[in-house]
Amino acid sequence: MENKGIFETVKERKTEEKGLVDLPNVEGEVVLRFAPNPSGPLHIGHARAAILNQEYVKRYSGKLILRLEDTDPRRIDPKAYQMIEEDLTWLGVKWDEKIIQSDRITLYHQYAEKLIELGQAYMCTCPGDEFKKLKDQSQACSCRDLSIDDNLKLWKEMPFMSEGEAVLRVKTDIQHKNPAIRDWVAMRIVDFEHPRIGTLFNVYPMMNFAVTVDDHLLGITHVLRGKDHLANSEKQEYLYHHFGWTVPEFIHYGRLKMEDVALSTSQARKGINDGLYTGWDDPRLGTLRAISKRGIKKEALKELMLEIGVKIADTTISWKKIYGLNRNLLEDEANRYFAVFHPEKVIIENLPESDKGVIKRLKHPDFPDRGYRMLPFDGIVYLDQTDLERNESKVLRLMDAVNIVFKDGKTIFHSSSLEEARRSNAQIVQWVPVTSSPDVELVMHDNTILKGLAEPSIEELNPNDVVQLERVGFARLDEIQPKIRFYFAHK
RNA sequence: GCUCCGGUAGUGUAGUCCGGCCAAUCAUGUCGGCCUCUCGAGCCGAUGACUCGGGUUCGAAUCCCGGCCGGAGCACCA
């Protein structure tokens, strides 16, 4: 006993040392960014990037920039700009500055021109497939030899050309052993109205170009990104060198897979449009809004992401893991209520008057100061059908009320005390009074809806409260008007 | 196919850079017992992993080579 304190402090120090690894080469202020493409709401993969960035910003007292990367007019959902901010807010991630790339197109044009003047970019008018053919054989196309003046001239004409006629390429190494790195495209023509800035421009930067210019201008010191960007990081390094800029630290983490969730934004969008899903918050989706609707706390997600960290190896997240972390949080927080989902009305015969009345039960067994809920008990109750079936010839205990037994299709009072129930090996079940018990719905993970009834006190809850429906599981109250609807979280 | 990168218990993770203190950490899950008027929690216990094969070494999860398996990229998307 006396030694316990010592063990605890040792343990504490040990766990403190774990967690996220430090960022490499930290000198001066740390500036990080979270840079999603506004094509839909955030999903669990975005949460990883957002949480990791935020965590490092916190650790180094740095700065976090939110950057919306909307340089492809075709891949934008105008609603996403706002949804992303909402999702980040739910996650508890705060940014110090927000920029939107479509506000900065002119800037990218200026840097593109500068790059041409440096002789490090050229206008390429080759058809894409022809260039690819040459490139795959490590051969430059004739455009690569254009003079700076010729390139500038073509560059000025670019806005008057149409899509596909020309691109601006960055010179890298045409012999680079990875063909993907060879002379990549910096600017291209897009004949498509941009949802935010309309038809102001038709020459747009490619992601790699815009990202590099912005990361430099904003003073980003460390870039956390998925390993799918490994080749992009290498492409971008050429640009940093051309401009003589300092290359930030690139940190790549592995892919995140979520068991049984389909989840690319485009797949989800299609499902929503086809009526397969109810919306971005459909419980079957991996979006943050779906996850939060199911009563998963942001803290659980945060713990998970910090545990996964920044390893480059892929990881598969199991729901059980999330539920386990979440249950640790909910156990204390969630008050308890009764609800019955396959309701069967039962009239208890021979019930002594003395057993009727109002039953009091703690809202939370570990926190008596939260008080009680009251359940009127007059011998007529709803029970879960499956509990009835399982206990046909046995004694059944209604929690905090009485013990009953079934005989010849009738339900008969057996005894009152818990001791008696114990003696009879009775199963103890929740119940709901027949009078004044509101109808409730419980939306399951597969979006099926269970209809049932809950005890009267359920009406004191507010939307967003997460409770434990005893013997059913944890659930989040989604709405109370016009009907009471819960989303199932987990056992 | 080409380029690159990974592979520690069911899942996630520590340890791998600088070989020995690792018969390998922690979490979550699973199983069992106790407890509890919840199928929740708590307590106790159990389970379970270094991808394989060679090599270097007194000694390898850690270093080297090869195989196997897995992933990413190979766009005028991000």
Side-chain angles (χ1 to χ4, degrees), chain A residues 10 26 51 70 95 132 141 147 209 238 267-269 305 323 349 431 451-452 466:
Chain A
V10 168
V26 171
I51 288 169
D70 56 348
W95 53 97
K132 179 171 165 42
C141 68
S147 69
F209 191 77
Y238 279 91
Q267 279 177 297
R269 180 186 306 287
M305 297 309 175
Y323 296 158
E349 299 186 14
W431 51 276
K451 294 185 189 290
V466 183

Side-chain angles (χ1 to χ4, degrees), chain A residues 384-432:
Chain A
D384 191 306
Q385 203 178 356
T386 56
D387 285 333
L388 294 180
E389 286 164 6
R390 258 183 300 189
N391 293 280
E392 269 179 54
S393 52
K394 293 183 236 166
V395 178
L396 192 63
R397 167 80 177 167
L398 307 194
M399 273 188 228
D400 282 330
V402 298
N403 310 318
I404 58 177
V405 70
F406 309 103
K407 232 177 240 163
D408 308 325
K410 292 181 171 178
T411 306
I412 301 159
F413 169 81
H414 176 273
S415 52
S416 303
S417 72
L418 176 63
E419 290 66 35
E420 187 63 39
R422 291 255 158 83
R423 233 185 326 270
S424 311
N425 238 319
Q427 182 170 18
I428 301 170
V429 303
Q430 85 280 21
W431 51 276
V432 158

Side-chain angles (χ1 to χ4, degrees), chain A residues 446-460:
Chain A
D446 60 0
N447 200 48
T448 57
I449 299 174
L450 300 184
K451 294 185 189 290
L453 299 121
E455 60 169 280
S457 306
I458 209 89
E459 294 188 284
E460 71 193 20

Side-chain angles (χ1 to χ4, degrees), chain A residues 141-160:
Chain A
C141 68
S142 55
C143 309
R144 203 179 206 260
D145 299 323
L146 253 35
S147 69
I148 289 176
D149 284 345
D150 287 343
N151 274 315
L152 285 171
K153 209 167 126 197
L154 274 170
W155 166 249
K156 301 288 185 208
E157 289 169 13
M158 197 172 176
F160 306 102

Side-chain angles (χ1 to χ4, degrees), chain A residues 435-451:
Chain A
T435 48
S436 65
S437 289
D439 289 320
V440 295
E441 288 185 358
L442 181 61
V443 182
M444 304 305 286
H445 295 339
D446 60 0
N447 200 48
T448 57
I449 299 174
L450 300 184
K451 294 185 189 290

Side-chain angles (χ1 to χ4, degrees), chain A residues 292-343:
Chain A
S292 71
K293 207 173 180 80
R294 287 165 54 167
I296 304 299
K297 313 277 296 175
K298 61 173 188 258
E299 291 84 0
L301 245 32
K302 184 175 161 186
E303 272 184 61
L304 177 69
M305 297 309 175
L306 294 185
E307 181 171 327
I308 292 172
V310 291
K311 297 206 324 176
I312 196 161
D314 295 347
T315 60
T316 303
I317 298 178
S318 71
W319 282 108
K320 282 187 172 179
K321 176 78 180 182
I322 293 182
Y323 296 158
L325 294 173
N326 203 54
R327 190 180 299 116
N328 292 341
L329 301 164
L330 255 30
E331 170 58 23
D332 282 0
E333 175 184 323
N335 284 338
R336 272 58 170 170
Y337 292 91
F338 285 167
V340 162
F341 285 99
H342 305 281

Side-chain angles (χ1 to χ4, degrees), chain A residues 136-327:
Chain A
D136 286 344
Q137 299 166 46
S138 292
Q139 292 184 4
C141 68
S142 55
C143 309
R144 203 179 206 260
D145 299 323
L146 253 35
S147 69
I148 289 176
D149 284 345
D150 287 343
N151 274 315
L152 285 171
K153 209 167 126 197
L154 274 170
W155 166 249
K156 301 288 185 208
E157 289 169 13
M158 197 172 176
F160 306 102
M161 298 194 250
S162 51
E163 194 162 317
E165 277 191 69
V167 295
L168 180 72
R169 289 187 184 280
V170 178
K171 285 188 192 173
T172 63
D173 176 0
I174 206 72
Q175 315 265 25
H176 196 288
K177 61 179 177 176
N178 182 353
I181 308 292
R182 299 170 193 162
D183 287 17
W184 50 273
V185 175
M187 306 289 290
R188 86 300 204 172
I189 299 162
V190 182
D191 290 327
F192 193 89
E193 185 174 337
H194 192 289
R196 271 189 84 246
I197 55 174
T199 52
L200 219 46
F201 301 95
N202 67 337
V203 175
Y204 283 91
M206 294 293 288
M207 178 272 275
N208 277 311
F209 191 77
V211 161
T212 306
V213 169
D214 280 338
D215 282 345
H216 172 258
L217 261 26
L218 298 167
I220 304 296
T221 56
H222 301 258
V223 174
L224 273 68
R225 52 166 61 136
K227 72 175 186 188
D228 44 321
H229 285 296
L230 237 18
N232 290 322
S233 295
E234 199 174 345
K235 290 183 189 182
Q236 292 172 20
E237 281 188 44
Y238 279 91
L239 205 47
Y240 282 100
H241 294 318
H242 290 333
F243 281 122
W245 296 339
T246 306
V247 183
E249 290 289 335
F250 294 120
I251 297 153
H252 301 94
Y253 48 77
R255 302 283 288 185
L256 214 53
K257 280 172 294 203
M258 190 76 207
E259 66 178 15
D260 341 293
V261 180
L263 333 129
S264 71
T265 300
S266 56
Q267 279 177 297
R269 180 186 306 287
K270 186 171 184 306
I272 292 168
N273 290 340
D274 293 350
L276 192 62
Y277 300 129
T278 57
W280 287 114
D281 58 0
D282 186 291
R284 289 163 289 187
L285 296 179
T287 58
L288 294 185
R289 38 199 65 206
I291 288 169
S292 71
K293 207 173 180 80
R294 287 165 54 167
I296 304 299
K297 313 277 296 175
K298 61 173 188 258
E299 291 84 0
L301 245 32
K302 184 175 161 186
E303 272 184 61
L304 177 69
M305 297 309 175
L306 294 185
E307 181 171 327
I308 292 172
V310 291
K311 297 206 324 176
I312 196 161
D314 295 347
T315 60
T316 303
I317 298 178
S318 71
W319 282 108
K320 282 187 172 179
K321 176 78 180 182
I322 293 182
Y323 296 158
L325 294 173
N326 203 54
R327 190 180 299 116

